[in-house]
Amino acid sequence: MLHGAVLLRGCDVKSAEDFGEVAGALDCARYDYIGGTALRTELVPGLVFTANEAPPDQQIAFHHETAMAPEPPSYVLFFCETSPAEGGATPIVHSEEVATFLETAHPAFAEKVALLGVRYIRVMPEKTDRSSFFGRSWKECYKVSTRSQAEEAMAKQGTSYEWLPNGDCKTTTKVFPGFRLDPRTGKRAFFNSVYGVFTGWNDSRNAGEKAVVFGDGSPIDAEVMHSLGCFIKERQVAFKWNEGDVLLIDNSLVMHSREAYEPPRQILASLRGKPNVQSAAVMPEELGGMFYVVDREAGMVRDDLPIWGLKPGMPVEEAFPLRNGSVVEKHEVAGVRGAFQLLNLLNREESSQFIRVLDSLGFHSDGIWLVAGGNGHYNPKPSNKGMRNNCELLIPETVDRAIFERCQHLLPTIGGCRPLGLNGKWRCYKYVVGDHFNPHKDGSWSEIRVREGKIVEDAYPERRSQLTFVIYLNEDFEGAATRFCKDCHDPDGIPVRTRAGGALCFPHGLHPDSPYHMSELLHVGVKYIIRTEVMYHVDALQEYACPALMPQIGALCGTQVKEVFEDVSTCLSDTMQDSQENSDDPSGSLSDPSQDDSARGLCWRNTVAAIMLTAHTGLIYGTSPWVQPLNDYYPHSRFAPGVVLPAIYMAITYGLTFPLVGHVVHEHMLPVSQLPYLALLAIAYPLFMGVATSLGALWPAYLGMGVGSLGLGAVMQIEKVVAIQWWAVAGQAKWGKATMGFALGAWTIVFTLASALLIHFFSLPSAMWLLSAFLTICSLYPLWLRCKGDFRAPRPMQKDSESEGRPVLASLSFFQLALQLVILAFVGGGMKALLSPIFEATYQTSYLTSAYLAAGSVSFFTLCRFLAPLMAGHIPLCSVSAGLFCVDTMLYFCNPWIISNLSVDWLMASKTITGACYGSLQMITTMIALEAFGPANFGKVWPMLSPCIALGFASGPLAGYYISLSQAGTGAYDPFFYLCSGLTGLGALNVAVLGVRTRQRNNESE
């Protein structure tokens, strides 16, 4: 129907039986009304029933009939048996107009609906409530008599449920698409019941505003619904019912409603399923005449392989009759990272029609894929690729868009970019008995379309594919499973079979999770599949592609992209393996950016940005001059804010926000390029501390800790992900770590001195605000770099197949490292946080002198943080760590004697040496973890160890400070020194055992 609805007036239709004959004349499938909400009475079995029997004073808002069911009816028919005395019209509105309005007036809402879809939440009574127009009981709704039967029916529809104490049932549907594309017009319709539910589902059990939500559970915008209601009121079409009228509505295009009325009024309804397409199907020989050869390409043998397209002017719906399909289900593929299946994407009629189209066009055994291996491809020889029959088809944009709309909300975000659509060039394959395809990785493509009768290889220059999208058209064959492999020589792997009408999706191109895969030998039958791609904005590549390659990638198009991506990804893998085998750098390498001015410049710019942001961490390491002034500002506090606040701040950061930020970055939920924005939040800590001391209240300080810890977590992630990985790309991760280690030490000295001087010459609040201003200035360069698009991480390192499978939590090495980090953070964090108070308490030095001594003792700490990573490849890490712990043990044990018998210079020397040991141990422990678990697992292990660091940083300063309060005079910190001596002795023993176990494991592996 062109307009979506037809009114038949003056026909000889007088009864339910007459109306049943009219409805039955539509060549459509029977529709079972299961899961709907309306109160109805069946009059003609399976065909005619009353329209919603809601009380006459209730208005029913605009909706698509049964849109919350997996398979809504295709057509709705209404028949007026008794016209109403007043009111009671059935207004209608075209959903394509509604969609256009929302996309124009409320684009953010329209995009969110398209991306997330919607869910419906309803409480159904145990007994039908006739006072509510949607008060149908769960027994009538699902045509059952017991709870178990209802549960089975709900499970079939993918509806979750909760039985309430009073016998009611609360249901939550699966996610339904917010829009559906009509392949006949190429336009989107706002196909759902969002407006009707939001504004109308209000009774004693339900509230409309909570009865429909976005697919992620977030609420629908009430202002948008009000605006939509005003638009619908302007655009609706309503007429007065006359007896004998029949209204036919295309449910996929038109919404309807019901006005309140004065009785009597009797409107009957009929719901019809999908059209019986067999009656209008185009025969295969006729199908072939609907297509033409758009262009030809060269294969291995022939140079005239056809690329087919639909002839201009041919009706798309005849060649590809897509109807509103079932709800698509997403299932992850176990054991294959990033791979998933989309089931129910096409129904059986649609799949069969695609097979008819392809068979009418014909297949050939030659193909460009035979020669598109390139250097470095696993199977560069055509004879090694495998065998299958091929047909290339340029699909009409309305068709691939309609299919994309069905599953858009289930496709992943990559690099912060949402999917944009499917590629227009479909490579269609027909496997017969004996056909197979060998292990390979898929390449990436630009978007290919037909424009004015010609193929445009880069129709949307800003788009590149990120996911392979394989549609399976049949399943009546044996063998030919898609098998995912560890590498191209893997004899086993994970076989996956996808049902007919489903799609198998997985990353490809330069994506780090791009898997090797193959098609097994076909034993019986014929296998039909369609291979296309999911397109994303090219910015998605920046999250993992080597930056030096980005200009080349941006210049590529069409088949070239596929070829070069396959070559580059394979060559990068080979390069990484070779460089890791030949380099003494345990972090491995990808390529040498020192050979490329652009990459070298990016490396240094990102490193400088990370150094500037590390000022936030340096501020926390340099807070020892804050201890006494903060305590003095809150003399009546039950605890010592100068010690407790920084300790809690570090604990929250290491224990919660740093692992959290690492997780969202690792899972591509937050692009690395956005981290400078998040790092700005770290300014909240000193800023809110200034507010707190100005007001004499502590709650702003707590707020600043919560907000600032998110920023500090981002800063630490930038240090590890951005700066150090850029150096790892050059095979020089140790230099990156040394640079960042020196930067943190230098910032610690700066802020130790700056804090003391500012607090001494100004007030504590003023000092906090000035420090906040300085940190803001430090953040400007990273923000500028981000705005230029130069702030990003390089492509991640190749996964180490040996280390990737190592157990983590089940490993004794993990717990030994955990113990070492607790000891390090307890002793180092406690001593560092209390540097100034220790000098003041033991030698009664002045406030400024104590700060100078504290800063001086950090200088050797800074130097060792720089040298330790550079020496890591030339020293036995565990043995050196044990030796450094022993030095700490001896000096901490001797400190009480030094304080009692020697001058302050001797204590400063002792503190300088122990600080240097602490700095070295910090850096070496990271290298030990890298050596124990390998580069591939390091990114997973280190965030898991962060809570251990948090525990140490929280308990060390608190233990030291409160122990000192129990003592008096110059020996106030003696018990804390002895405690630290014992702990570092335990640390020496622990790391020595770890070293022995590591050497034994290495010897066994050799």
Side-chain angles (χ1 to χ4, degrees):
M1 291 185 292
L2 179 62
H3 300 290
V6 174
L7 176 63
L8 304 177
R9 175 164 286 175
C11 301
D12 190 22
V13 182
K14 298 180 180 179
S15 64
E17 290 72 18
D18 293 341
F19 178 50
E21 291 184 13
V22 173
L26 286 179
D27 191 14
C28 295
R30 172 188 172 124
Y31 187 82
D32 292 326
Y33 186 62
I34 297 177
T37 64
L39 306 172
R40 304 183 187 278
T41 300
E42 191 171 57
L43 301 177
V44 178
L47 194 60
V48 177
F49 39 81
T50 59
N52 197 317
E53 298 175 358
D57 62 335
Q58 293 186 9
Q59 180 175 343
I60 301 175
F62 280 92
H63 63 283
H64 283 278
E65 185 62 44
T66 322
M68 67 289 297
E71 294 191 20
S74 297
Y75 297 98
V76 181
L77 294 92
F78 292 106
F79 161 59
C80 178
E81 189 173 45
T82 303
S83 60
E86 183 179 343
T90 304
I92 57 176
V93 68
H94 206 295
S95 284
E96 289 181 359
E97 294 183 7
V98 174
T100 302
F101 166 75
L102 290 173
E103 291 168 346
T104 304
H106 303 283
F109 174 84
E111 181 180 6
K112 190 173 182 180
V113 170
L115 293 179
L116 301 179
V118 295
R119 294 180 186 270
Y120 303 95
I121 303 168
R122 172 176 41 148
V123 176
M124 293 183 289
E126 186 175 20
K127 296 181 179 179
T128 295
D129 176 11
R130 305 197 72 82
S131 67
S132 170
F133 75 81
F134 61 104
R136 201 175 182 208
S137 72
W138 54 264
K139 293 180 180 179
E140 289 190 15
C141 181
Y142 293 107
K143 298 182 180 180
V144 297
S145 57
T146 66
R147 287 190 177 186
S148 60
Q149 292 172 342
E151 291 171 357
E152 183 178 354
M154 288 185 284
K156 288 181 179 179
Q157 292 193 344
T159 299
S160 60
Y161 56 86
E162 176 188 354
W163 294 106
L164 303 181
N166 63 354
D168 293 353
C169 183
K170 181 179 180 179
T171 61
T172 303
T173 69
K174 299 169 62 172
V175 176
F176 289 90
F179 292 92
R180 288 192 177 180
L181 189 139
D182 185 0
R184 297 165 295 183
T185 64
K187 296 180 180 179
R188 293 206 301 179
F190 191 57
F191 184 87
N192 54 63
S193 289
V194 171
Y195 179 74
V197 172
F198 189 91
T199 59
W201 276 21
N202 296 292
D203 62 10
S204 59
R205 294 167 300 277
N206 299 274
E209 293 185 359
K210 298 180 180 179
V212 59
V213 296
F214 287 109
D216 64 351
S218 57
I220 301 295
D221 192 330
E223 292 184 5
V224 175
M225 291 296 99
H226 175 74
S227 174
L228 178 57
C230 295
F231 172 79
I232 289 177
K233 189 174 182 179
E234 294 176 359
R235 299 296 300 173
Q236 71 179 23
V237 175
F239 59 91
K240 180 177 174 59
W241 280 111
N242 290 341
E243 292 182 2
D245 285 352
V246 174
L247 176 64
L248 172 61
I249 294 176
D250 185 336
N251 192 43
S252 64
L253 294 178
V254 173
M255 288 192 281
H256 66 277
S257 66
R258 190 201 77 175
E259 294 179 349
Y261 64 91
E262 290 291 332
R265 177 185 186 267
Q266 181 73 343
I267 305 296
L268 307 185
S270 179
L271 305 182
R272 307 298 287 150
K274 298 174 183 177
N276 294 317
V277 297
Q278 290 82 355
S279 61
V282 181
M283 299 303 292
E285 56 270 18
E286 297 173 353
L287 274 174
M290 299 175 67
F291 293 83
Y292 76 111
V293 177
V294 183
D295 201 353
R296 297 183 183 273
E297 65 183 6
M300 188 67 190
V301 179
R302 294 169 49 185
D303 60 359
D304 61 345
L305 302 178
I307 304 175
W308 296 94
L310 189 66
K311 288 181 179 179
M314 285 290 176
V316 175
E317 64 271 15
E318 288 190 18
F320 306 103
L322 298 179
R323 304 299 299 168
N324 292 331
S326 302
V327 175
V328 180
E329 299 177 8
K330 181 177 181 179
H331 295 271
E332 305 291 340
V333 176
V336 184
R337 185 178 175 87
F340 56 92
Q341 292 173 308
L342 298 173
L343 304 183
N344 304 323
L345 184 68
L346 302 178
N347 60 38
R348 292 195 178 275
E349 292 81 7
E350 293 166 342
S351 298
S352 298
Q353 180 67 3
F354 275 114
I355 292 176
R356 285 194 289 269
V357 168
L358 297 177
D359 279 338
S360 70
L361 299 178
F363 290 85
H364 49 80
S365 59
D366 199 0
I368 192 171
W369 52 272
L370 285 172
V371 294
N375 296 327
H377 195 281
Y378 168 53
N379 287 323
K381 296 181 179 179
S383 59
N384 289 342
K385 292 294 184 65
M387 295 179 291
R388 63 186 178 192
N389 300 295
N390 316 279
C391 176
E392 294 197 345
L393 176 62
L394 293 163
I395 205 75
E397 202 157 351
T398 56
V399 176
D400 67 67
R401 189 71 195 176
I403 294 174
F404 174 71
E405 292 280 356
R406 295 180 180 182
C407 62
Q408 177 183 12
H409 59 291
L410 300 175
L411 298 173
T413 297
I414 298 179
C417 300
R418 288 295 302 165
L420 300 175
L422 299 179
N423 201 353
K425 187 176 184 180
W426 288 13
R427 277 84 63 212
C428 311
Y429 304 125
K430 178 180 180 180
Y431 289 78
V432 296
V433 175
D435 283 356
H436 66 285
F437 204 71
N438 288 343
H440 64 287
K441 286 189 177 185
D442 288 344
S444 184
W445 291 69
S446 61
E447 187 156 349
I448 303 172
R449 295 287 175 188
V450 177
R451 296 286 187 264
E452 298 180 355
K454 295 183 179 180
I455 296 178
V456 180
E457 297 280 356
D458 207 2
Y460 299 98
E462 73 282 1
R463 297 184 184 183
R464 289 294 180 270
S465 68
Q466 301 291 306
L467 292 178
T468 293
F469 194 91
V470 181
I471 303 174
Y472 291 74
L473 300 179
N474 70 316
E475 57 186 78
D476 51 343
F477 55 86
E478 295 180 13
T482 300
R483 182 179 292 271
F484 291 94
C485 321
K486 292 181 180 178
D487 53 47
C488 49
H489 303 286
D490 181 14
D492 299 318
I494 300 173
V496 177
R497 286 189 68 98
T498 304
R499 296 204 306 260
L504 178 62
C505 306
F506 48 87
H508 65 209
L510 293 181
H511 196 289
D513 294 329
S514 174
Y516 281 98
H517 59 285
M518 62 176 289
S519 179
E520 296 177 342
L521 190 72
L522 182 69
H523 301 297
V524 177
V526 178
K527 170 185 173 182
Y528 290 91
I529 62 173
I530 296 171
R531 152 76 196 272
T532 186
E533 298 82 31
V534 183
M535 309 305 296
Y536 289 78
H537 195 279
V538 71
D539 285 351
L541 290 166
Q542 297 183 2
E543 291 304 307
Y544 53 79
C546 180
L549 298 173
M550 288 303 297
Q552 302 173 36
I553 292 169
L556 299 174
C557 64
T559 304
Q560 291 176 314
V561 173
K562 173 181 179 294
E563 296 174 13
V564 176
F565 267 55
E566 287 181 337
D567 296 346
V568 169
S569 60
T570 304
C571 292
L572 278 176
S573 299
D574 296 341
T575 303
M576 286 186 287
Q577 293 170 1
D578 293 342
S579 62
Q580 289 181 19
E581 292 172 359
N582 299 325
S583 173
D584 63 351
D585 186 353
S587 64
S589 63
L590 291 171
S591 60
D592 188 356
S594 63
Q595 303 299 319
D596 185 277
D597 291 338
S598 175
R600 185 170 62 246
L602 280 171
C603 175
W604 274 109
R605 288 194 293 275
N606 280 270
T607 301
V608 172
I611 289 172
M612 299 300 289
L613 290 174
T614 302
H616 294 280
T617 314
L619 173 71
I620 307 307
Y621 274 60
T623 55
S624 64
W626 297 17
V627 174
Q628 198 55 48
L630 270 175
N631 291 343
D632 293 341
Y633 251 78
Y634 301 96
H636 302 296
S637 176
R638 296 180 181 178
F639 57 87
V643 178
V644 174
L645 294 179
I648 295 177
Y649 185 47
M650 292 296 282
I652 294 174
T653 302
Y654 274 101
L656 179 62
T657 56
F658 173 56
L660 177 63
V661 173
H663 173 74
V664 298
V665 170
H666 179 72
E667 294 299 324
H668 307 299
M669 292 184 283
L670 176 69
V672 170
S673 59
Q674 304 301 318
L675 287 177
Y677 296 135
L678 187 59
L680 274 177
L681 297 179
I683 300 170
Y685 180 64
L687 183 63
F688 281 66
M689 194 70 75
V691 174
T693 51
S694 297
L695 299 176
L698 283 172
W699 66 264
Y702 295 134
L703 180 60
M705 286 193 300
V707 176
S709 64
L710 276 172
L712 191 59
V715 169
M716 294 178 177
Q717 191 68 21
I718 287 170
E719 175 190 343
K720 289 177 170 50
V721 172
V722 179
I724 295 175
Q725 279 194 10
W726 270 109
W727 289 88
V729 166
Q732 298 174 332
K734 60 182 68 174
W735 281 99
K737 194 153 188 63
T739 301
M740 298 311 301
F742 183 85
L744 178 57
W747 282 123
T748 302
I749 295 174
V750 168
F751 283 107
T752 300
L753 293 174
S755 297
L757 291 171
L758 291 173
I759 292 172
H760 179 75
F761 290 106
F762 302 92
S763 65
L764 181 58
S766 299
M768 296 297 108
W769 290 330
L770 289 171
L771 290 172
S772 302
F774 181 78
L775 290 174
T776 303
I777 294 172
C778 291
S779 301
L780 294 179
Y781 177 77
L783 290 174
W784 173 78
L785 201 64
R786 166 63 188 88
C787 293
K788 280 188 60 182
D790 286 344
F791 188 94
R792 56 177 181 264
R795 183 176 185 269
M797 295 178 294
Q798 177 78 1
K799 294 180 179 178
D800 179 356
S801 60
E802 275 189 18
S803 63
E804 187 171 348
R806 297 180 194 170
V808 177
L809 286 174
S811 169
L812 178 60
S813 299
F814 176 84
F815 292 101
Q816 288 182 290
L817 279 169
L819 176 60
Q820 178 162 341
L821 287 170
V822 171
I823 293 173
L824 261 181
F826 181 96
V827 176
M831 289 296 176
K832 176 182 56 59
L834 299 171
L835 272 177
S836 293
I838 287 174
F839 283 113
E840 286 184 74
T842 55
Y843 285 96
Q844 287 78 49
T845 56
S846 68
Y847 174 75
L848 281 183
T849 301
S850 299
Y852 296 151
L853 293 171
S857 67
V858 175
S859 58
F860 203 33
F861 161 88
T862 303
L863 181 61
C864 287
R865 284 183 64 90
F866 177 77
L867 294 176
L870 301 181
M871 299 172 61
H874 309 283
I875 58 175
L877 298 177
C878 291
S879 299
V880 171
S881 294
L884 293 173
F885 268 127
C886 288
V887 172
D888 276 345
T889 300
M890 180 185 66
L891 289 175
Y892 286 136
F893 186 83
C894 293
N895 277 347
W897 182 87
I898 292 175
I899 293 170
S900 300
N901 298 281
L902 300 175
S903 68
V904 69
D905 296 331
W906 288 95
L907 180 62
M908 180 181 175
S910 174
K911 296 291 291 177
T912 300
I913 295 172
T914 54
C917 292
Y918 170 61
S920 300
L921 285 167
Q922 273 189 313
M923 310 305 286
I924 291 176
T925 301
T926 306
M927 297 297 185
I928 293 175
L930 193 62
E931 183 178 79
F933 293 98
N937 276 327
F938 180 76
K940 176 173 65 176
V941 172
W942 197 252
M944 294 169 65
L945 291 169
S946 291
C948 303
I949 304 173
L951 176 63
F953 271 131
S955 56
L958 296 178
Y961 184 80
Y962 284 105
I963 287 174
S964 71
L965 294 181
S966 65
Q967 306 296 315
T970 58
Y973 285 91
D974 288 357
F976 185 55
F977 283 131
Y978 291 136
L979 175 61
C980 290
S981 178
L983 288 174
T984 51
L986 176 61
L989 177 62
N990 175 66
V991 76
V993 173
L994 176 60
V996 172
R997 292 184 63 254
T998 301
R999 284 194 297 273
Q1000 288 176 345
R1001 185 174 63 244
N1002 292 340
N1003 291 336
E1004 289 171 359
S1005 64
E1006 292 173 358

